[in-house]
Amino acid sequence: MHDPLPPNQHNTMTFRRSIWEVTDDYRFHGITNEKLDHIARVYNLMAAKLNIAFPVPVVCTILIEAIAALPDDPARLPAGTLRPALEAYLRLAKRQPGFDIKTAMCLLAVEKGGNYAPADRKVTKGLLLRQVVTEDEAGTLGRKDVEKFVSVYLDKVLPAWWRERQTRTARDVDDDWGKSS
């Protein structure tokens, strides 16, 4: 049996340390339909064994299309314009297997080239330590209420993100906020 991976790559493929890192590890170019069927079985098996919901291709397509409909540069929008669209996107994402608000926001951040802030536990803790958000607001960012999340995200998180992004890359800001935790 041929091993297509160099020896030093076996331990680095499984998990990524950054949402901003783009590799060819999960690209499907050049794969036949027959092999895609086998890959689908691997994903089915992994979902069953790990008891997690991997997003299936139709879910990925739904979310990518929803993200494409959102503004590319929300910093240029009049106040209040983004709220209904972001709420609709997050409600849609929450209905998809394997997605919650934080995962959906990270996907949005990456797909829009860092014009949106990611949302996860480390970023929230970093915002709290920097006094960008209060304890109550940090709690809201960790809950499942779309409207409350969007309110704190648009009023506090996104303006802080945009200030930082004026001089740094999205990955650098994300890494910095995450290190604070």
Side-chain angles (χ1 to χ4, degrees):
M1 179 183 289
H2 176 316
D3 187 351
L5 296 176
N8 64 344
Q9 226 180 352
H10 283 281
N11 292 329
T12 61
M13 277 189 63
T14 308
F15 299 103
R16 296 280 169 241
R17 296 202 180 272
S18 173
I19 63 172
W20 307 103
E21 187 174 338
V22 178
T23 69
D24 283 339
D25 293 349
Y26 297 101
R27 296 195 190 270
F28 294 111
H29 50 266
I31 295 179
T32 65
N33 285 338
E34 181 182 350
K35 285 189 179 180
L36 285 173
D37 287 341
H38 292 282
I39 291 168
R41 281 195 292 278
V42 170
Y43 277 104
N44 281 326
L45 177 119
M46 294 303 292
K49 296 303 287 178
L50 298 174
N51 199 26
I52 59 174
F54 283 105
V56 295
V58 69
V59 167
C60 295
T61 302
I62 288 167
L63 293 176
I64 295 303
E65 288 172 359
I67 288 170
L70 289 168
D72 289 334
D73 190 358
R76 300 189 188 280
L77 295 176
T81 306
L82 183 57
R83 186 175 310 274
L86 188 56
E87 287 176 356
Y89 164 68
L90 290 175
R91 281 192 294 276
L92 173 70
K94 280 182 60 177
R95 291 192 306 269
Q96 308 309 312
F99 277 87
D100 60 8
I101 290 174
K102 291 181 267 189
T103 306
M105 288 308 301
C106 287
L107 178 61
L108 175 61
V110 169
E111 287 296 310
K112 291 296 187 176
N115 287 332
Y116 290 80
D120 59 29
R121 180 186 48 77
K122 288 183 176 183
V123 166
T124 298
K125 192 160 185 185
L127 289 167
L128 183 60
L129 291 172
R130 285 178 166 66
Q131 299 179 337
V132 173
V133 297
T134 66
E135 287 275 352
D136 286 343
E137 291 165 333
T140 296
L141 292 172
R143 293 196 186 93
K144 298 177 181 180
D145 186 303
V146 168
E147 289 77 15
K148 288 180 181 177
F149 174 91
V150 169
S151 181
V152 172
Y153 183 84
L154 293 180
D155 294 344
K156 300 287 185 88
V157 178
L158 214 45
W161 179 259
W162 292 334
R163 281 191 301 277
E164 294 285 332
R165 286 282 287 122
Q166 289 178 5
T167 58
R168 302 188 316 162
T169 67
R171 182 178 184 154
D172 288 343
V173 177
D174 188 18
D175 288 348
D176 187 40
W177 287 4
K179 285 179 192 168
S180 299
S181 57

